[in-house]
Amino acid sequence: MMQTKWTKPLVQAVSTRPPAAHGVARSLGNLVLLKNSTQRTILPPLQSVFRTVVGYVPEFRMLPAKQLAEVLASESRGRLFIGGIVDKSTKTLTLIRGDLRQFVLPLSFFRTAGPSVPNFDRFKLGDYGQGVIFGDYEASTHSVLFGIDPEYRRWFNRQRVKNEQGFGSSLRRLRLLRGLSRNNFPGVAAKTIARIERGETEKPHGKTLRLIAEALNVEPDDIESY
C-alpha cells in the first residue's frame, strides 16, 4: 500500500532504473494506492514494475484505511471487496477483491429490492468488504460472489456441507430462533458473528463465547445442540 505523496517519487525512481533492470517486468509485486491521483499518466510507469496497480483514478472507491488493512491481512481476503469503480457509460461495475483479483459485472445485476433503489452515484464498500452499497441500497458480498463466481459457489457449498453440524451453523439456527440480528450481540462485532456462522473462523472461546451465549440466553456448551 502507498499514500499518494509517495507516488511521484516512486515514478521518478522507476524512470531512473538501469536498462537491465527494466527487463525484469513487474518484479515488485502489487501496489494499492491509498488515495487516488488525478494524474492518469502515472499508470504506465507503475504498471511496468508492478503486477497490479489499484486505486489510481479519482472515481475509484476504496475501503477506509483501517478496514482495508484488516481485509488485506485476512485469510479470507479473496472473498471480500476492497475497492471498485462504476462506469455509467458502459453501465458496469468493476470490483477488486482483497487478493487483487478483479471482475466486471453489469449494473443491472443490482435489482431494486423493496423500497431501496440503487443510486450508482453513491457507490462505496462497507463492513470490512462484506457489503456493496449504492446509497440506501446494499448487497452483500456473498450475494454478489454467489451470483457471478462459480469458484466461490463451489467453495461456499463445500463449506456449507462441512459446517452443517458445526458451531457456526448451530449459532445461526439459534440466532434466527431467538429473532436476533448479527448486531444484537453486545461486545461482539456483527462481522465476527458473520464469519463464525460462515465457518471462516474457529469456534470462539473465552469472553467471546460467553458474550455470544449471554445474548442467546443459553449456556455456552448448549449452543452446538441446536
Side-chain angles (χ1 to χ4, degrees), residues 148-210:
I148 65 174
D149 185 355
E151 178 185 335
Y152 177 85
R153 285 198 297 273
R154 288 191 290 270
W155 171 84
F156 179 79
N157 287 327
R158 287 196 301 269
Q159 290 297 111
R160 183 168 56 184
V161 172
K162 177 182 176 181
N163 296 310
E164 200 168 42
Q165 302 301 321
F167 183 89
S169 293
S170 295
L171 171 59
R172 182 176 185 277
R173 284 191 290 269
L174 182 53
R175 175 176 65 80
L176 295 176
L177 181 65
R178 294 286 193 263
L180 301 176
S181 76
R182 289 169 177 162
N183 292 306
N184 295 141
F185 292 80
V188 184
K191 65 183 180 69
T192 299
I193 298 297
R195 290 173 180 171
I196 294 172
E197 290 185 348
R198 290 198 299 265
E200 295 179 359
T201 185
E202 295 180 357
K203 175 183 174 180
H205 299 280
K207 181 180 178 181
T208 300
L209 179 59
R210 178 175 54 80

Side-chain angles (χ1 to χ4, degrees), residues 3 12 33 53 65 89 99 107 120 147 174 219:
Q3 297 191 17
Q12 292 173 336
L33 299 174
V53 181
S89 66
D99 58 6
L107 294 179
F120 298 117
L174 182 53
E219 293 297 322

Side-chain angles (χ1 to χ4, degrees), residues 86-101:
V86 170
D87 184 350
K88 296 182 74 174
S89 66
T90 58
K91 298 181 179 180
T92 59
L93 170 67
T94 300
L95 287 167
I96 312 295
R97 301 190 196 191
D99 58 6
L100 302 191
R101 285 183 293 167

Side-chain angles (χ1 to χ4, degrees), residues 22-210:
H22 281 286
V24 185
R26 301 179 180 177
S27 59
L28 299 183
N30 302 311
L31 176 66
V32 178
L33 299 174
L34 296 182
K35 291 186 178 179
N36 312 128
S37 171
T38 57
Q39 300 178 17
R40 297 172 188 263
T41 53
I42 69 170
L43 182 60
L46 292 178
Q47 286 183 323
S48 71
V49 291
F50 290 96
R51 288 191 298 270
T52 304
V53 181
V54 173
Y56 57 89
V57 294
E59 298 84 359
F60 191 86
R61 295 292 177 264
M62 187 86 73
L63 280 174
K66 181 179 179 180
Q67 296 187 29
L68 176 63
E70 181 168 329
V71 170
L72 291 176
S74 169
E75 293 184 358
S76 59
R77 58 186 173 273
R79 297 185 290 276
L80 300 167
F81 295 134
I82 64 167
I85 183 170
V86 170
D87 184 350
K88 296 182 74 174
S89 66
T90 58
K91 298 181 179 180
T92 59
L93 170 67
T94 300
L95 287 167
I96 312 295
R97 301 190 196 191
D99 58 6
L100 302 191
R101 285 183 293 167
Q102 53 188 296
F103 60 89
V104 182
L105 66 158
L107 294 179
S108 59
F109 177 89
F110 302 96
R111 298 180 177 85
T112 299
S116 298
V117 178
N119 183 344
F120 298 117
D121 291 323
R122 297 172 57 195
F123 163 64
K124 66 178 182 178
L125 296 169
D127 194 16
Y128 291 81
Q130 297 186 90
V132 179
I133 302 168
F134 302 104
D136 296 329
Y137 177 101
E138 182 171 357
S140 70
T141 295
H142 164 73
S143 66
V144 175
L145 291 175
F146 195 87
I148 65 174
D149 185 355
E151 178 185 335
Y152 177 85
R153 285 198 297 273
R154 288 191 290 270
W155 171 84
F156 179 79
N157 287 327
R158 287 196 301 269
Q159 290 297 111
R160 183 168 56 184
V161 172
K162 177 182 176 181
N163 296 310
E164 200 168 42
Q165 302 301 321
F167 183 89
S169 293
S170 295
L171 171 59
R172 182 176 185 277
R173 284 191 290 269
L174 182 53
R175 175 176 65 80
L176 295 176
L177 181 65
R178 294 286 193 263
L180 301 176
S181 76
R182 289 169 177 162
N183 292 306
N184 295 141
F185 292 80
V188 184
K191 65 183 180 69
T192 299
I193 298 297
R195 290 173 180 171
I196 294 172
E197 290 185 348
R198 290 198 299 265
E200 295 179 359
T201 185
E202 295 180 357
K203 175 183 174 180
H205 299 280
K207 181 180 178 181
T208 300
L209 179 59
R210 178 175 54 80

